[in-house]
Amino acid sequence: MHSGTADLDLRKLRVLRELAERGTVSAVAEALHLTPSAVSQQLSALARETGVRLLEPAGRRVRLTGAARVLLRHADELFARLERVQADLAAFQDGASGEVRVTAFSSAITGLVLPALRELRETSPGLALTLCESEVPGAYTGLVHGETDLVIAVVAPGDPPADDARFARVSLLADPLDVMLHADHPRAKERALDLADLVDEVWVTGSSGSCSKLTATACASVGYAPRVVHRADEWTTVFGLVEAGLGISLVPRLVTSRIAAPPPGERGVVIRELTGAPPMRHITVFVRNGAERAPHIAAVLDALTRQAERVRGGRPLSVVAGGA
């Protein structure tokens, strides 16, 4: 490899990483507000600096060579180190100021993020906080590209692995799922229900997302596939379907803690725990590796962990983990 690799231009490495993420030169050009020609020139210059071939033809497109992917693995470490440098510089300033962009799914927003942000408005009024409701995996791409600073997600297959050097992560909450039934359901008066006994029930789940997958996995673990008749992605709709007597549903405790009880005289619904070990949603915050040390981001992480501890009722905090 060229001796010039010691002088690699991080801007060119970012172009290469964008190509790995977006797949085409034109998509990279649009994302970086450059012309396709300028993108190609930067990639060619990077190849000259490294002394290796970075791209090879793939039909009408190009794809990364093995050498390019080796370079990108090292680039992730460089970018993480740069984030740490920026975080250390920010530590010399007032940690109670700065902009923090948070991306989270719906029930995490209501149960964790909003209470934490209300606290921060009192303790750190200089923080500029913005919130976006979104589901992964698109949120991880936004985190890598600097479009958001924190992503709160339910850990699921296909998420970035624990050794992904691009991210640090903080486990917030193991959120149990309970059974929601119509108040006149024959089993509504039981204090706890065995999932295996619900094999003949009609189910309400989401059309996608963690809870529908957890429902399928939990039922499969006791020997059956749930007979899903109704699908809804808004919890208020799920609540309404169950209240109408159209099915039962597994519902996270973080969600039911935010649903008001029906007025006296209305039949409503009941929530019953499952016997044994209930299925869990593992809620985690993802941060660009190194950025978690920045005071303004650390302040938001601290507020989120305090709120998660309140939700857990004071039980011990989950393990904190980071990228390599």
Side-chain angles (χ1 to χ4, degrees):
M1 187 174 285
H2 274 199
S3 60
T5 53
D7 301 318
L8 285 177
D9 187 337
L10 286 179
R11 291 172 297 181
K12 297 186 183 73
L13 285 175
R14 288 189 189 278
V15 172
L16 183 64
R17 188 166 75 171
E18 287 283 345
L19 181 60
E21 290 282 341
R22 299 184 184 273
T24 66
V25 169
S26 59
V28 173
E30 182 178 355
L32 299 180
H33 306 291
L34 298 171
T35 65
S37 175
V39 170
S40 297
Q41 289 173 11
Q42 294 217 35
L43 293 171
S44 296
L46 182 61
R48 290 194 298 272
E49 291 172 7
T50 58
V52 297
R53 189 181 182 191
L54 299 177
L55 304 176
E56 59 188 10
R60 295 185 177 182
R61 299 185 177 185
V62 293
R63 63 186 173 202
L64 272 60
T65 63
R69 298 197 178 278
V70 169
L71 180 59
L72 279 176
R73 286 200 297 271
H74 290 285
D76 286 336
E77 297 174 7
L78 291 173
F79 289 127
R81 186 172 298 177
L82 180 60
E83 292 277 5
R84 294 189 183 97
V85 170
Q86 293 170 337
D88 287 342
L89 291 174
F92 288 96
Q93 302 173 349
D94 184 359
S97 64
E99 180 184 8
V100 182
R101 297 156 298 176
V102 180
T103 299
F105 59 97
S106 177
S107 56
I109 290 175
T110 56
L112 296 172
V113 180
L114 292 181
L117 296 191
R118 282 194 291 268
E119 174 188 323
L120 286 167
R121 288 179 65 184
E122 298 294 327
T123 61
S124 304
L127 282 176
L129 301 166
T130 59
L131 178 60
C132 177
E133 181 180 339
S134 177
E135 297 283 349
V136 293
Y140 295 129
T141 301
L143 185 59
V144 170
H145 296 154
E147 297 163 3
T148 190
D149 300 303
L150 303 176
V151 170
I152 303 176
V154 175
V155 176
D159 284 350
D163 60 355
D164 191 322
R166 299 173 298 172
F167 303 114
R169 61 203 75 201
V170 177
S171 295
L172 287 181
L173 188 65
D175 186 22
L177 274 67
D178 300 316
V179 183
M180 182 163 59
L181 310 159
H182 188 277
D184 287 342
H185 190 283
R187 309 192 70 126
K189 293 183 180 180
E190 298 182 29
R191 299 183 64 179
L193 298 174
D194 189 327
L195 191 59
D197 293 336
L198 304 177
V199 61
D200 295 323
E201 296 290 337
V202 170
W203 286 84
V204 181
T205 73
S207 58
S208 61
S210 60
C211 287
S212 61
K213 294 173 184 176
L214 282 169
T215 298
T217 301
C219 292
S221 71
V222 293
Y224 68 92
R227 184 160 60 97
V228 178
V229 174
H230 307 288
R231 295 187 183 274
D233 291 324
E234 294 292 335
W235 283 112
T236 51
T237 306
V238 174
F239 182 93
L241 288 165
V242 175
E243 188 176 33
L246 297 176
I248 69 172
S249 181
L250 291 187
V251 58
R253 212 164 286 175
L254 188 62
V255 172
T256 54
S257 67
R258 315 300 295 182
I259 296 176
E266 291 190 11
R267 291 183 296 177
V269 302
V270 294
I271 307 295
R272 296 291 179 258
E273 295 184 11
L274 290 168
T275 57
M280 296 277 188
R281 298 193 307 174
H282 294 279
I283 301 175
T284 299
V285 186
F286 288 78
V287 193
R288 283 186 302 280
N289 200 355
E292 76 279 6
R293 297 171 60 187
H296 61 304
I297 291 179
V300 178
L301 286 172
D302 288 345
L304 286 168
T305 53
R306 284 193 296 272
Q307 174 58 20
E309 192 168 357
R310 286 190 286 268
V311 170
R312 289 192 306 272
R315 293 190 296 276
L317 187 64
S318 299
V319 175
V320 175

